[in-house]
Amino acid sequence: MTENFERSFAEHAERLLRHERACNEASAQNRRIIFEALSVSRITAVTVSFDGEGDSGQIEEIAVVPEGEDSRLDVLVDAVTARWTDCEIVSERTPLRDVIEQVCYAALAETNCGWENNEGAFGDFRFDVANRTLTLEFNGRYMSTEYSEHSWIEEA
């Protein structure tokens, strides 16, 4: 029984590792797809704001430069995703806006897993199309306490 459990656990751990590698590769491909699509649509920058706490977090806003051109994010692109069943990377037509969100969530999971837990975190992703850079500005919240105790004994 223990041997079967250990083998099953090891197989599951290996699958998780393969899937994580496939997800990282899909995210890298999707970044390239995003920059290409933004460049073609003449969007020069995208800012994605996120916020989370108490075991919940979400993308709050996606803003583009030039302003008022965010409808260009509704275009369908051939994004990729990693299937859980076989860890294969497959292509699917997806709105650019959704691919941007997926890449941001993947970057948060990669760099600050659990960002939405407890006091959470907030920040922005900045896509600079000309330089093809994605920058994460991350602000982690934390609660701190400091305890001290003092006693004085007075002689009678």
Side-chain angles (χ1 to χ4, degrees):
M1 175 88 169
T2 301
E3 185 177 306
N4 288 341
F5 175 76
E6 288 174 359
R7 185 174 59 249
S8 177
F9 183 79
E11 289 169 357
H12 184 71
E14 174 57 31
R15 175 183 256 186
L16 280 174
L17 187 59
R18 281 194 341 259
H19 188 257
E20 181 181 1
R21 283 192 296 256
C23 286
N24 290 341
E25 175 57 31
S27 190
Q29 287 184 38
N30 283 334
R31 286 192 302 272
R32 290 188 290 274
I33 290 165
I34 288 168
F35 282 115
E36 194 59 39
L38 292 174
S39 183
V40 167
S41 69
R42 296 191 203 119
I43 291 175
T44 58
V46 176
T47 301
V48 179
S49 301
F50 65 92
D51 193 7
E53 66 178 309
D55 301 337
S56 173
Q58 62 282 329
I59 300 293
E60 295 286 325
E61 179 183 21
I62 300 177
V64 301
V65 174
E67 284 185 37
E69 299 296 331
D70 48 335
S71 64
R72 294 181 187 181
L73 300 181
D74 296 329
V75 66
L76 294 176
V77 296
D78 291 318
V80 295
T81 187
R83 291 190 302 217
W84 169 249
T85 53
D86 58 7
C87 301
E88 289 296 315
I89 294 176
V90 295
S91 180
E92 45 187 43
R93 299 285 287 165
T94 309
L96 179 57
R97 177 185 315 276
D98 293 352
V99 180
I100 289 170
E101 285 191 14
Q102 291 168 8
V103 163
C104 291
Y105 282 125
L108 282 168
E110 180 183 341
T111 60
N112 297 283
C113 187
W115 64 273
E116 73 283 13
N117 293 329
N118 302 319
E119 287 75 38
F122 66 96
D124 295 311
F125 285 94
R126 287 182 291 110
F127 290 81
D128 178 338
V129 179
N131 294 311
R132 294 181 70 94
T133 57
L134 172 59
T135 302
L136 167 59
E137 296 174 349
F138 184 87
N139 301 280
R141 296 184 189 101
Y142 64 93
M143 182 172 62
S144 176
T145 61
E146 187 175 317
Y147 172 79
S148 65
E149 181 177 303
H150 304 276
S151 296
W152 289 265
I153 299 175
E154 295 297 325
E155 305 244 352

